[in-house]
Amino acid sequence: MPIKNKSVIFDRENLNKENPKEFLYKALKMSPSDLILEVRESGLKGRGGAGFPTGTKWMLASAAVSDKKFVVCNADEGEPGTFKDRVLLDEFSDLVFYGMIMCGYAIRANKGFVYLRGEYRYLLDKLLKYLDKMHEENLLGKNILNSGFDFDIEIRLGSGAYVCGEESALIESLEGHRGESRNRPPFPVNTGYMGHPTVVNNVETFATVPIIISRGAEWFTTVGTLNSKGTKLISVSGDCKEPGVYEVPFGISINDILKLVKAENTKAVQVGGASGHCVPKEQFDRALSFEDLSTGGSIMIFNESRDMLHILKNFMEFFVEESCGQCTPCRIGNIKLLEGVEKVEAGDCALSYIKELIELGKSMQLASKCGLGQSSPNPFISIMTNFENEIFSQR
Amino acid sequence: MIEIKDNILTQEISELIGKYGNGREALLPILQQIQAKHGYVSEFAQQEIANALDIHPVEVYGVITFYSFLGNKKKGRHIIRLCRTISCDLAGKDAIIRTLERELGIKFGETTKDEKFSLEFINCMGMCDQGPAMMINEQVFTQLTPHKIVDILKNFR
Ligand SMILES: Cc1cc2nc3c(=O)[nH]c(=O)nc-3n(C[C@H](O)[C@H](O)[C@H](O)COP(=O)(O)O)c2cc1C
Ligand code: SF4
Ligand code: FES
C-alpha cells in the first residue's frame, strides 16, 4: 500500500526521473566532512521520535576515534500506531540502504546493520534479494562505485520486544543479550556496538538523506517550520475513512490532517503513539513539529463514540507488558497507573488518588532509566487531565 | 529415540555455529533458527548452545525468556498472534477473539489438544491501518472478520 497523498520526497515516479543511484555517486564524490556539513545544514532531525539533529550525530561519531565504527538502521518500529517504516522498507529500500552507505562513508564505518522487528520477518527475503542486487551492481561491498570505500549491510531480526527500539537496548540485543537499556551517557556515538562508535538512526532518517544530498540542503529547508525542516511520514489509524501513510510538511495542524484522512466527529487524537500525548478537540489547531507536537509518525484518531478510559487502559496494559523491568519507577509505576485505571473503571477511585497517581507519573518521567518509563506516564497524564469530566461523570 | 533426536539437535546447532560463528552476538540468530524449526528451545538445546558459545546456560535462558517470540516450552505447530493494541481494538478485535476461541475450542494462552494451534496476543504489529490484524507463524492477515477467520483456519488445519 503506497503513500497516500502527493509526496515531495517519497514519490517513486519523481525519483525514477532522478535515478537514485546517482545520489550515491554524488555522495561518494564529496568529502566525508562536506557530506556531514550538507546533512547538518539541512536541519534534518531524527525521524524516530526523539528528534536529535542527524548531522550532529554523524559529526560526533565521525570525531570519535576507533579502529571500527558501525551504522545501525533502527527498523524495530514498535510504537503503537506506527507503520511508515514498513512501507519505506517495502517500497523505498534503495533510499534506506543508500542513506546507510552515506552515513558509513561520512563517519568511516564499513559495516551496517538493519535491526528489523521480528513482526516484519516477511519482508526479509525481499530485502536480502535487494542487497544481493546491490552487491552485483557494486553499490555494496568492496570499493563501492570505484570510490575506494567498502561497506556491507547485514540484516538482524528482533524477536518481539518493544523496548529494543530504544537505541541502547537495540545494541544490547544486537550483541546477543536481553534488550535492557543502558545508562546514557556514554552514548552510542562513542560507545555503541561492541563498544565502538555507532550511529543509530531511524529508517525514515536514512531514507531522507539521499534526497538531501541530491537536491541540496537548501531545498530541504524550504519545507517545514523554523526548527522542523522538511516533510514527515505519518501513519494514520483509528476512526477515519482513509487510514494509511501520508507525507506531510512539518507545521501541518491536526485539523488539516483530519481533513486529509477524512475523519469525522473526532473527539481526540493521540499523537506519538502510546508514549505520546492525547490531544483534545479544543487543541486541534496545534501543529505537528518538534516545537509543538512531536511524533515518530503515529497518529491515532478517536471519534465521539469512544471511551477514553478504555483507550488509556489499553495503553497502560501495553507498558506493563513491555517494560523491561530493570528499574523500579517503570516496573512498579506502570502497574500502579494501570491499577488506578482499573479502579476508576470499577467506579471505585477517588479523584484525589488520581491526582496522586499523576504525581507518581511525573516522578516516573524523571526517575526512569530509559525513554520507555520516561514517556509511559504521558497518556495517563494527558488523558486523565484532558478528559477528567468525561471519565468521572460516567462512573 | 530421544537420544537420536538430541544428536540431530547437536548437529543442527554446530551447523548454526558454522554459519553465525561462536561469538555472543550469534546467540539471537541461533535461537531464532531453533525456535523457527522446532517451535521452542528445549533445555537440551539451551545446554548445547551455551556449551558452543562458552557461556552459562542461564545466559541463554535469560535471553529466551526476555523475547516474546522465543520460548522454552513446546507450543502448537501454528502460533496465532492477534494484535490487541488500540487501533485493532477499535477495529473490532473482540469479535475476532470470540471467533478464534470458538473455532479452536481453546482460550487465549492455550494450545489445542492435537498441538496444532496456540492462541496468543501480540502488541501492535504495524498493520494498524488494516486492523484487526494477526499473524500465523510469520504470515500476516489483516482486515479480519469472523468469516475470514474460518477460511484462514481451514488452510492451516
Ligand atoms: C521505548 C523506546 C522505543 C523506541 N522505538 C524506536 C523505534 O521503533 N524506531 C526508532 O527509529 N526509534 C525508536 N526509539 C528511539 C531510539 O532510541 C533512537 O532515538 C532513534 O532510533 C534514533 O534515530 P533518529 O535520530 O533517526 O530518530 C525508541 C525509543 C524508546 C525509548
Ligand atoms: S524505564 Fe522501563 S524499559 Fe527503561 S530501563 Fe527502566 S524498566 Fe526498563
Ligand atoms: S494496533 Fe494492531 S497492528 Fe497496530
Side-chain angles (χ1 to χ4, degrees):
Chain A
M1 233 175 255
I3 290 161
K4 287 207 158 170
N5 59 336
K6 190 72 192 147
S7 304
V8 183
I9 292 182
F10 300 109
D11 176 339
R12 186 47 78 184
E13 250 177 64
N14 258 339
L15 281 173
N16 283 346
K17 276 183 225 150
E18 293 170 86
N19 187 8
K21 263 176 237 166
E22 293 293 328
F23 306 172
L24 197 54
Y25 260 115
K26 187 170 174 190
L28 297 180
K29 286 214 177 83
M30 294 166 85
S31 76
S33 54
D34 283 348
L35 204 160
I36 295 179
L37 196 68
E38 195 75 22
V39 176
R40 282 195 81 181
E41 289 193 338
S42 74
L44 175 67
K45 290 183 177 170
R47 278 9 186 181
F52 190 81
T54 306
T56 308
K57 188 181 279 187
W58 292 17
M59 198 186 63
L60 291 169
S62 149
V65 182
S66 174
D67 58 333
K68 272 189 197 153
K69 296 183 186 180
F70 294 95
V71 175
V72 176
C73 174
N74 189 341
D76 200 46
E77 190 160 62
E79 187 63 51
T82 317
F83 42 92
K84 46 108 190 161
D85 292 343
R86 161 174 59 82
V87 173
L88 281 181
L89 289 164
D90 200 20
E91 295 175 26
F92 296 92
S93 55
D94 51 346
L95 294 184
V96 179
F97 294 146
Y98 294 169
M100 291 177 69
I101 298 170
M102 290 178 194
C103 176
Y105 179 70
I107 68 165
R108 296 180 187 79
N110 301 108
K111 170 96 193 202
F113 293 102
V114 176
Y115 189 89
L116 182 69
R117 70 183 306 209
E119 290 83 344
Y120 291 172
R121 166 82 233 257
Y122 65 96
L123 292 173
L124 182 65
D125 290 342
K126 189 173 164 187
L127 292 172
L128 288 175
K129 253 195 211 138
Y130 195 77
L131 288 177
D132 282 345
K133 187 166 157 255
M134 286 176 66
H135 268 282
E136 279 163 25
E137 297 179 18
N138 189 222
L139 303 173
L140 262 185
K142 295 254 176 264
N143 190 19
I144 296 176
L145 298 172
N146 289 321
S147 62
F149 172 61
D150 306 339
F151 194 75
D152 225 327
I153 294 176
E154 185 182 327
I155 302 178
R156 291 276 189 87
L157 285 168
S159 261
Y162 165 67
V163 69
C164 286
E166 197 280 332
E167 56 187 14
S168 66
L170 188 158
I171 290 170
E172 283 288 315
S173 180
L174 276 180
E175 291 178 358
H177 296 277
R178 294 160 66 90
E180 292 175 344
S181 313
R182 297 174 177 172
N183 280 321
R184 292 146 44 97
F187 293 98
V189 285
N190 289 310
T191 310
Y193 182 65
M194 300 293 183
H196 297 289
T198 303
V199 164
V200 183
N201 273 135
N202 175 255
V203 173
E204 186 184 349
T205 312
F206 281 123
T208 306
V209 169
I211 309 286
I212 292 172
I213 295 304
S214 152
R215 299 184 198 168
E218 211 181 300
W219 170 83
F220 192 73
T221 57
T222 56
V223 189
T225 69
L226 188 62
N227 289 316
S228 316
K229 297 301 179 195
T231 59
K232 179 81 190 83
L233 290 182
I234 53 173
S235 320
V236 183
S237 65
D239 297 317
C240 63
K241 287 210 186 74
E242 294 191 14
V245 175
Y246 292 79
E247 186 182 323
V248 297
F250 270 116
I252 190 174
S253 71
I254 299 289
N255 269 322
D256 287 341
I257 293 175
L258 292 175
K259 265 183 228 144
L260 192 64
V261 304
K262 302 201 168 62
E264 280 162 16
N265 296 323
T266 307
K267 172 158 73 176
V269 177
Q270 182 78 17
V271 180
S275 62
H277 294 272
C278 190
V279 181
K281 203 197 258 168
E282 306 79 66
Q283 299 175 20
F284 284 176
D285 56 348
R286 290 178 65 182
L288 213 71
S289 63
F290 294 111
E291 301 94 304
D292 188 2
L293 292 170
S294 172
T295 173
S298 171
I299 303 280
M300 298 191 280
I301 301 172
F302 309 129
N303 71 19
E304 294 288 353
S305 75
R306 304 300 184 181
D307 175 2
M308 296 312 291
L309 193 70
H310 175 78
I311 291 164
L312 175 57
K313 187 176 171 193
N314 191 283
F315 289 153
M316 294 323 299
E317 284 169 345
F318 172 78
F319 288 121
V320 166
E321 170 139 350
E322 295 293 348
S323 165
C324 85
Q326 232 192 132
C327 69
T328 319
C330 171
R331 183 181 64 241
I332 309 288
N334 283 310
I335 293 176
K336 287 292 157 201
L337 297 186
L338 175 59
E339 284 171 0
V341 173
E342 286 166 348
K343 264 167 128 34
V344 177
E345 202 177 27
D348 185 21
C349 187
L351 193 54
S352 56
Y353 184 59
I354 291 301
K355 291 210 168 10
E356 273 176 43
L357 287 180
I358 288 177
E359 289 310 310
L360 170 70
K362 288 180 184 160
S363 311
M364 290 164 64
Q365 289 172 332
L366 292 174
S368 294
K369 183 171 173 183
C370 85
L372 192 151
Q374 288 159 8
S375 60
S376 65
N378 293 347
F380 186 91
I381 295 173
S382 62
I383 290 179
M384 282 297 185
T385 313
N386 290 324
F387 297 94
E388 187 191 295
N389 271 342
E390 172 193 316
I391 288 171
F392 280 89
S393 66
Q394 287 173 7
R395 292 169 179 94
Chain B
M1 185 60 191
I2 284 179
E3 216 170 291
I4 294 170
K5 257 198 198 155
D6 285 354
N7 280 335
I8 292 173
L9 203 53
T10 309
Q11 177 66 25
E12 258 177 58
I13 288 166
S14 75
E15 276 165 23
L16 288 171
I17 297 279
K19 184 168 174 200
Y20 297 108
N22 64 353
R24 174 76 195 229
E25 71 280 8
L27 178 56
L28 212 48
I30 291 172
L31 292 174
Q32 286 164 344
Q33 295 286 338
I34 297 288
Q35 175 80 32
K37 178 130 189 234
H38 301 273
Y40 75 121
V41 187
S42 65
E43 217 165 278
F44 177 79
Q46 293 174 40
Q47 290 277 356
E48 288 293 292
I49 294 168
N51 284 343
L53 299 183
D54 198 19
I55 53 179
H56 198 280
V58 164
E59 290 282 328
V60 179
Y61 176 83
V63 167
I64 293 172
T65 50
F66 184 85
Y67 295 94
S68 63
F69 284 5
L70 300 176
N72 54 1
K73 288 192 186 70
K74 202 164 167 57
K75 286 185 190 157
R77 188 140 49 85
H78 305 299
I79 301 188
I80 303 180
R81 297 187 167 98
L82 177 70
C83 172
R84 67 169 145 206
T85 308
I86 194 69
S87 293
C88 287
D89 177 282
L90 301 181
K93 76 148 196 326
D94 284 350
I96 306 303
I97 293 180
R98 287 192 296 271
T99 310
L100 282 168
E101 288 185 340
R102 278 187 212 134
E103 289 299 317
L104 297 175
I106 53 169
K107 297 276 169 208
F108 270 75
E110 294 177 354
T111 299
T112 53
K113 274 212 185 81
D114 60 4
E115 295 191 338
K116 263 199 184 152
F117 293 99
S118 295
L119 274 183
E120 293 181 2
F121 286 113
I122 189 173
N123 288 324
C124 180
M125 48 184 264
M127 289 290 165
C128 335
D129 55 336
Q130 302 161 54
M134 71 176 185
M135 298 175 75
I136 303 186
N137 310 324
E138 283 161 13
Q139 236 179 311
V140 173
F141 299 90
T142 58
Q143 293 175 324
L144 297 170
T145 60
H147 284 286
K148 238 174 155 173
I149 292 286
V150 175
D151 288 341
I152 293 168
L153 288 180
K154 241 187 254 159
N155 294 326
F156 285 88
R157 281 190 205 264

